[in-house]
Every structure is written in C-alpha cells, then in structure tokens.
Amino acid sequence: MISIERNYYAYLDEMQIITILLPFQYHQGRSSRFSLLAGTEEIPMQILNSMPIEESIKYTCRIDHDLVIGEQYWVVNEYGEKTDLQIGAVIRTEPFDEKFYYEGPLGFSYSKDKTLFRLWAPTATKVKLKLKSAVNEDAETVEMARGEKGVWSCKVSGDLDQHLYSFLVCVNLEWREAIDPYTVSVAVNGEYGAVVDLESTKKVKPELPPLLQPTDAIIYETHIRDFTIHPGSGATRKGMYLGAGEVNTTGSDGQPTCLSYVKQLGITHIEFLPFHDYEGVDERGPKRDYNWGYNPLHFNAPEGSYSTDPADPYSRIRELKAMIHAVHSEGIRVIMDVVYNHVYIREDSSFEKIVPGYFFRHDEFGMPSNGTGVGNDFASERLMARKFILDSVEYWMKEYQLDGFRFDLMGILDIETMNRVRQTANSIDPTAIIIGEGWDLNTPIPDEQKASIRNQDKLPGIGQFNDWFRDSIKGSTFNLYDKGYALGNEHYYEAAKQVLAGSIGLEKKEKGIFLSPSQSVNYVESHDNHTLWDKILVCSERADENIQQRKHRLATAMVLLSQGIPFLHSGQEFFRTKEGNGNSYRSPDSINKLDWERKIHFSENVQYIKGMIDIRKNIPLFRLASADLIRRSMRFIDVKKPLIGFVLNSPEKYAEWSRAAVVFNPSMAEEAVILPDGDWELLANGQTAGLIPKGEITKNLTVKPISTYVMVCRH
C-alpha cells in the first residue's frame, strides 16, 4: 500500500548523493535549490549537475551530512513542497555493504517456551511480525525492534510450534508482506513460513562407503517424480519423497526398480533435480502439474508436492529426510540440484520485498540484468547475498545430511562465493561433491570474477559440466543434426582424444581446459535438451535400430571410461526417450517418466553399462586423481583413424591391475589393432562388459564396428 502521492521523486543513490527527478509537468522540471528535512532540522544540499532524462529533469545533489539509513527523511524544493527520500542505488554500493554486513543468525530460533525471530532489513523504517496459528485464523502482528546492522528482531513467548508467519516491511513508505528468506518450512504453496521444531525431525546418518577422491564418484541424475511415477515402477508412493526412498521395488519382470535398481547398477551418487520449494506445481493437486523445479521460491524449505500432506509443515521435512536416509542406507550419496542464480519472479520474491534492489544485479542503466534468461540475476558478490548462499549450503548439509550440490547456471555466481561454498562444505564433509554449470553468461560482473569454465583455474575444488566433452562425443547440443565422434563424425577425432584424458592437455603442447580431472564432469545427456537416444534417432534416422543402439552404447561407455567424473542421466542406460521433446521442464508424466518397461526391454544394454561401471569402480586406472597421474599413466596407441586407442600404466608398483587398454571404434568397419606387448585379458567388447575375463589376447585384436574394447594386465 503506497501511503503518499509524489509530485517529484528523490532517491539516495550513494551515502551522500541524492538524485532528484522533477517531471516537466511539475514547474517545468525546475528548482534552484533543494534541502533535506531530518526531523525539524533542514539541511541544505549542493546541486552538482542537472540534465534532462526522459520526461524529467534529473538533479544530482550532494549532502554533507551522515544519513541514518532506516530513518525517514524528506526532500524540500524551492517551492516548499516536499517528497520522501527513497532508498535508491545506495544499496548496491560497497560502503552500504560494509556498513550493514551482519554475521549472525537469521530466521527463527524455536524453543517450547519462546521463539526469537530475526530479519535483515536495513532500509526498512518499520517491520512487524505477522503470526497465526492456522491458515484460516486471524493473524496478530508484533512490532519488531531494529538492532545493529539493520537486523530487526522480536521474541514471542509460548509454544509456537506449527504457527505460520510472515513479515510486514515498510520501505519507501510502502508496506510489503514477505516470507522469511530463511524459513525452513512453509504452508501449502509457500503462502506463509512455518515455525517447526527441527530437533524432532533429526535422523542419524548411516555410515557410507569411503570416497577417496571426486573421480571415484559416478553420478546418476533424476527427478523425484520421474523416478517412480511410471505404473511399472513398483513403488507404492509414486512421485513422492517416500516413493523415491522405497527399497525392494520390482518391475513386471520381478527385477529391481527405482532405488534398489540404482544400487544394483553401481551408482555412488544420486543427483536429484531441485527439491527446494518452487513455483509451477499446485501443491493442493500436484498430479495435475509438472515442473523440473527451477522456479525457486523458498530456498531452505522442501517442495511440498513431493510430500503426502503439503498442508502439514512437518510432512515435507520428515519425508525428505526419510528419502535421503533411505538412499544413504543403500550406500549411495545424495547431491542436491540448487538454483541460487535467480528467483521465480523478482518483484514477488522475499528478497526484493524486504530489501528492494539489493539482492539482484542491475545493468548500467539501472535495469535488472538477465544473464539467467528469466529477468533476474542473484547478486552473489554482495555480502549478504553471499551470506545467504553460504548459510543455505551449510543448513542443507547439516540438517539434511546432503553429500554435495549441483549449481544450476553457476556462471552467474562469482568466484569468491563458489570458493567459499567449497570451504563451507569442507568444514562439514571434505568428500562433498560440488559441481556446476560454468556457462559464460551475460551478467554485469567482470569476466574474471565469474564462476565459469574459463576461470576453472581459480576454482580448484569445483567440478564443471564439460560441454567440450558433451559436444565432442555426441555432437552439438544446439544443433540437433550435428554428429559427434561416437555418432561417426571424424571432425571431432582430436577433441575426443583430449576429453578422454580428462580435458587437462595430455601433452605439454596441447591446451587443456582443466587443472585436474576432478573438475571435469563428463556427460552426453542430462535433463536439459534432447536425450541422447532422441538425438541419435534424428541423426541416424535411416539406420538400423541395432546400429543406433550401438552408437548410444559407445557414447555412454566413453563417459564411463574417461578420466574425470562420469555423469549419467537416469534411464540413459536403457535408451531413455522423451519422444523428441528437447525441453520437457513442464511436460506431462507421459514424456518425463522414467519408463521401467524399457529397462526390461533393453536389459542387455543395462547389463553392459553395469559392467562398464564395475570396470571403472574396480580398476583405479580409470579414475586417476590428478593431471600429473594422467600424464604419467596414459598413452595413445597407433590405430587406424577414426579408431582411438590408449593404454594406462599403473604408477603403483604392486597394483593388482598393472595396465589397462581401451579401443573405441565408431566406424562401420571391422578393424585390426596391434596391442602393446603383454598378457591381456578382455573385459569388454561390443556385446558384453564386466570384471569376468572373456578371453586372453596377446597382441592382435579384431575390433568390431561401433564398439568399445577394454583389456587389462594383472601383476
């Protein structure tokens, strides 16, 4: 509610700089002087310059007076008419950031006899807590007191468990209602924050298998609803947190599905698409709507549409924790897909309502920047925005026992924030996986500060989704008809060799893009864009289905046998299709579901990929930890182009597997390959893969068309 009509406008744009806009229709936009009214004191201002801008005259004025942000001031012109001094671009200045940076806790602190609420709102002149015990009951308001660093607080006596709350914040004479950015649970559809007793939801984390280095990880990406929604999933709670955590589920063939299947496959980490509270699905009828979850509303509260009772603020917490605990109990770690780069709608977000203009980047014209493509870029470089991200990461790791994060559009965020994320994770669990999309996006921070692939040397502990790998092996993501190396395009031959070696530059003359293989997340398919199978169907539409399957198998095998961190999209191992839909973020279940019948139909390919996973997990040569080890161990062998062959020599004197050799053949021709001297055991060919040898080879190997061969020598 705006409580004043303004004839002209005044903004505090720096600590002592005030910008005044006088419309032409108001005294022709002219005033020879301005002063500031602080209580009863009138303080003169110096006009530094004036210039016409759109339909007004813009005056830039200086005041030699220390203003108290959070106090109400008025600007008076030569006609004696006044307007309120609004908070303007000052909130995006370093002096503001430094003056109001607050290190302490925010949100609520609950106990049975009282609850303390804290909100950072330094530009507010008044703040009230709105509190209600149930959705349909009348709310009471409690005045909050301003403290140091612009933190408002109040203490409410009594047991507020399951009470709903919001904040009423007055900035620039306008009252706005906002949900607490730090709220840990919400009412249905995020309409209010909810007070809960987190101590009553605690679980003991099961002991997990050791993870000695990031390259030991094998990541399997899925969406909580996709994972179990198919009629043949065998899950009881389909599409729910509890469904994703069910074990011993089986398909129509009596074989494992869902979580038990993922364990059997040999996966080390499940990466779930966002499960923080998001827009796009009505929690009152969640099966009617679908969304991937990249429309964030409340970053620290779980999404309610995956819970059995979205109206109960405990249901989403307890059921998400039960899902994570179930995954952990199977010896698998959990990665959360997080979307700290933007919010759903900036104007409606709590951040913008509470401290307008602070939490989002603006361009040189003062307009919100759009590197995310959704009209708002989160300003991670600002101290309290960075603090929010770090606090949120710490909260999820400690409260939900998460084992890593995948940062959506990480290139929007700044390097210091991401390195601080790594430090925060290390302080809780040094084995936590931190990966992200380091795309170079058009956001107004200097290029050298972006957490992008081009700056990977400044982000040593963070993995990057390797688009060079993706496009070299399967072909361009943005040109559906472009074929990569695995689809038979020799143009990508040299690039394929480099990405197989971890993209670190195997020889000194070769320019790599990463310092370490742990920075390279190798993939050919994810939730974004067309599935690999759908791309192959377009690129090889006249090919026999068996040929198409072999190309797909070859590309997936290259993911699993390359140096770096392998990443699989759920269902990739049974040729997942989305019926040609390249952006299924809100498509129905018929498009997005994980089709467990395909797992049965393509069981031979599933077994082949499982065998490749077994090879990777049991032979350390395929998951070397450093660029130096790769350069000392890996050598390409002389084979006929377009074949690629390489040998890995163990640096450990008494390693069980002294050498490994791999040959990829993307061509339609059978080829002869001469292996280095040794007693080679064949672990994989075009049809089967696994740790049980399929025969011995001394020197001469015949490689079938479109196939992968893996050989090893033992001590």
CSV table of all heavy atoms in Angstrom, one decimal, residues 10 13 28 61 180 183 228 249 265 322 351 428 435 455 527 592 602 687 703:
chain,number,residue,atom,x,y,z
A,10,ALA,N,12.8,11.6,-5.1
A,10,ALA,CA,14.2,11.7,-4.6
A,10,ALA,C,14.7,10.4,-4.1
A,10,ALA,O,14.0,9.6,-3.4
A,10,ALA,CB,14.2,12.7,-3.4
A,13,ASP,N,21.2,7.5,-3.7
A,13,ASP,CA,21.9,6.6,-4.6
A,13,ASP,C,23.4,6.3,-4.1
A,13,ASP,O,24.0,5.3,-4.6
A,13,ASP,CB,22.0,7.2,-6.0
A,13,ASP,CG,20.6,7.1,-6.7
A,13,ASP,OD1,19.8,6.2,-6.3
A,13,ASP,OD2,20.4,7.8,-7.7
A,28,GLN,N,7.8,22.8,-14.7
A,28,GLN,CA,8.7,22.7,-15.9
A,28,GLN,C,10.0,21.9,-15.5
A,28,GLN,O,11.0,22.1,-16.2
A,28,GLN,CB,9.0,24.0,-16.5
A,28,GLN,CG,7.8,24.7,-17.1
A,28,GLN,CD,8.1,26.1,-17.7
A,28,GLN,OE1,8.9,26.8,-17.1
A,28,GLN,NE2,7.5,26.3,-18.8
A,61,CYS,N,22.6,15.7,-6.4
A,61,CYS,CA,22.9,16.6,-5.3
A,61,CYS,C,23.8,15.9,-4.3
A,61,CYS,O,23.7,14.7,-4.2
A,61,CYS,CB,21.6,17.1,-4.6
A,61,CYS,SG,20.4,17.8,-5.7
A,180,ASP,N,9.8,-15.1,5.2
A,180,ASP,CA,11.2,-15.1,5.7
A,180,ASP,C,12.1,-15.9,4.7
A,180,ASP,O,11.8,-17.0,4.4
A,180,ASP,CB,11.2,-15.8,7.1
A,180,ASP,CG,12.6,-15.8,7.7
A,180,ASP,OD1,13.5,-15.3,7.1
A,180,ASP,OD2,12.7,-16.4,8.8
A,183,THR,N,13.2,-19.1,6.1
A,183,THR,CA,12.2,-20.1,6.6
A,183,THR,C,12.6,-21.5,6.2
A,183,THR,O,13.1,-21.7,5.1
A,183,THR,CB,10.8,-19.7,6.1
A,183,THR,OG1,9.9,-20.5,6.9
A,183,THR,CG2,10.6,-20.0,4.7
A,228,THR,N,9.7,-42.6,-9.9
A,228,THR,CA,8.8,-43.6,-9.5
A,228,THR,C,7.4,-43.5,-10.1
A,228,THR,O,6.5,-44.4,-9.8
A,228,THR,CB,8.6,-43.6,-8.0
A,228,THR,OG1,8.1,-42.4,-7.6
A,228,THR,CG2,10.0,-43.9,-7.3
A,249,THR,N,11.7,-52.6,-4.5
A,249,THR,CA,10.6,-52.5,-5.5
A,249,THR,C,11.1,-53.3,-6.7
A,249,THR,O,12.2,-53.4,-7.0
A,249,THR,CB,10.4,-51.0,-5.9
A,249,THR,OG1,11.7,-50.5,-6.4
A,249,THR,CG2,9.9,-50.2,-4.8
A,265,LEU,N,23.0,-51.1,-10.0
A,265,LEU,CA,23.7,-50.6,-11.1
A,265,LEU,C,25.1,-50.2,-10.8
A,265,LEU,O,26.0,-50.2,-11.6
A,265,LEU,CB,23.0,-49.4,-11.7
A,265,LEU,CG,23.3,-48.9,-13.1
A,265,LEU,CD1,23.1,-50.0,-14.2
A,265,LEU,CD2,22.5,-47.7,-13.5
A,322,ALA,N,13.5,-38.8,5.3
A,322,ALA,CA,13.3,-40.2,5.2
A,322,ALA,C,13.9,-40.7,3.9
A,322,ALA,O,14.5,-41.8,3.8
A,322,ALA,CB,11.9,-40.6,5.4
A,351,PHE,N,13.3,-11.5,-1.1
A,351,PHE,CA,14.5,-10.7,-1.2
A,351,PHE,C,14.1,-9.3,-1.6
A,351,PHE,O,14.6,-8.3,-1.0
A,351,PHE,CB,15.5,-11.3,-2.1
A,351,PHE,CG,16.0,-12.7,-1.7
A,351,PHE,CD1,15.7,-13.8,-2.4
A,351,PHE,CD2,16.9,-12.8,-0.6
A,351,PHE,CE1,16.1,-15.0,-2.0
A,351,PHE,CE2,17.3,-14.0,-0.2
A,351,PHE,CZ,17.0,-15.2,-0.9
A,428,ILE,N,32.4,-29.3,6.9
A,428,ILE,CA,31.4,-30.3,7.3
A,428,ILE,C,31.7,-31.7,6.8
A,428,ILE,O,31.7,-32.6,7.5
A,428,ILE,CB,30.0,-29.8,6.8
A,428,ILE,CG1,29.6,-28.4,7.3
A,428,ILE,CG2,28.9,-30.8,7.2
A,428,ILE,CD1,28.4,-27.8,6.6
A,435,ILE,N,29.6,-29.4,-7.9
A,435,ILE,CA,29.7,-29.3,-9.3
A,435,ILE,C,28.7,-28.2,-9.8
A,435,ILE,O,27.8,-27.8,-9.1
A,435,ILE,CB,29.4,-30.6,-10.0
A,435,ILE,CG1,28.0,-31.1,-9.7
A,435,ILE,CG2,30.5,-31.6,-9.7
A,435,ILE,CD1,27.6,-32.4,-10.4
A,455,ASN,N,37.4,-19.8,-16.1
A,455,ASN,CA,38.1,-19.4,-14.8
A,455,ASN,C,38.3,-20.6,-13.9
A,455,ASN,O,38.5,-20.5,-12.7
A,455,ASN,CB,37.3,-18.3,-14.1
A,455,ASN,CG,37.3,-17.0,-14.8
A,455,ASN,OD1,38.4,-16.6,-15.4
A,455,ASN,ND2,36.2,-16.3,-14.8
A,527,HIS,N,19.0,-33.8,-17.9
A,527,HIS,CA,17.6,-33.4,-18.1
A,527,HIS,C,17.4,-32.4,-19.1
A,527,HIS,O,16.3,-32.3,-19.8
A,527,HIS,CB,17.1,-32.9,-16.7
A,527,HIS,CG,17.7,-31.6,-16.3
A,527,HIS,ND1,18.9,-31.5,-15.7
A,527,HIS,CD2,17.3,-30.3,-16.5
A,527,HIS,CE1,19.2,-30.2,-15.4
A,527,HIS,NE2,18.2,-29.5,-15.9
A,592,ASN,N,8.0,-37.3,-19.3
A,592,ASN,CA,9.1,-37.3,-18.4
A,592,ASN,C,9.4,-38.5,-17.5
A,592,ASN,O,10.4,-38.7,-17.0
A,592,ASN,CB,8.9,-36.1,-17.4
A,592,ASN,CG,9.3,-34.7,-18.1
A,592,ASN,OD1,10.4,-34.5,-18.5
A,592,ASN,ND2,8.3,-33.9,-18.2
A,602,PHE,N,15.3,-53.4,-22.7
A,602,PHE,CA,16.7,-53.2,-23.1
A,602,PHE,C,17.7,-53.7,-22.0
A,602,PHE,O,18.7,-53.1,-21.7
A,602,PHE,CB,17.0,-51.8,-23.4
A,602,PHE,CG,16.2,-51.2,-24.6
A,602,PHE,CD1,15.2,-50.3,-24.4
A,602,PHE,CD2,16.4,-51.7,-25.9
A,602,PHE,CE1,14.4,-49.8,-25.4
A,602,PHE,CE2,15.7,-51.2,-27.0
A,602,PHE,CZ,14.7,-50.3,-26.7
A,687,GLN,N,29.6,-56.5,-27.1
A,687,GLN,CA,28.4,-57.1,-26.6
A,687,GLN,C,28.3,-57.2,-25.1
A,687,GLN,O,27.2,-57.1,-24.5
A,687,GLN,CB,28.2,-58.5,-27.2
A,687,GLN,CG,27.9,-58.5,-28.7
A,687,GLN,CD,29.1,-58.2,-29.5
A,687,GLN,OE1,30.2,-58.7,-29.3
A,687,GLN,NE2,28.9,-57.3,-30.5
A,703,VAL,N,38.6,-55.6,-33.9
A,703,VAL,CA,37.6,-54.7,-33.3
A,703,VAL,C,36.4,-54.6,-34.2
A,703,VAL,O,36.5,-54.3,-35.3
A,703,VAL,CB,38.2,-53.3,-33.1
A,703,VAL,CG1,37.2,-52.4,-32.4
A,703,VAL,CG2,39.4,-53.4,-32.2
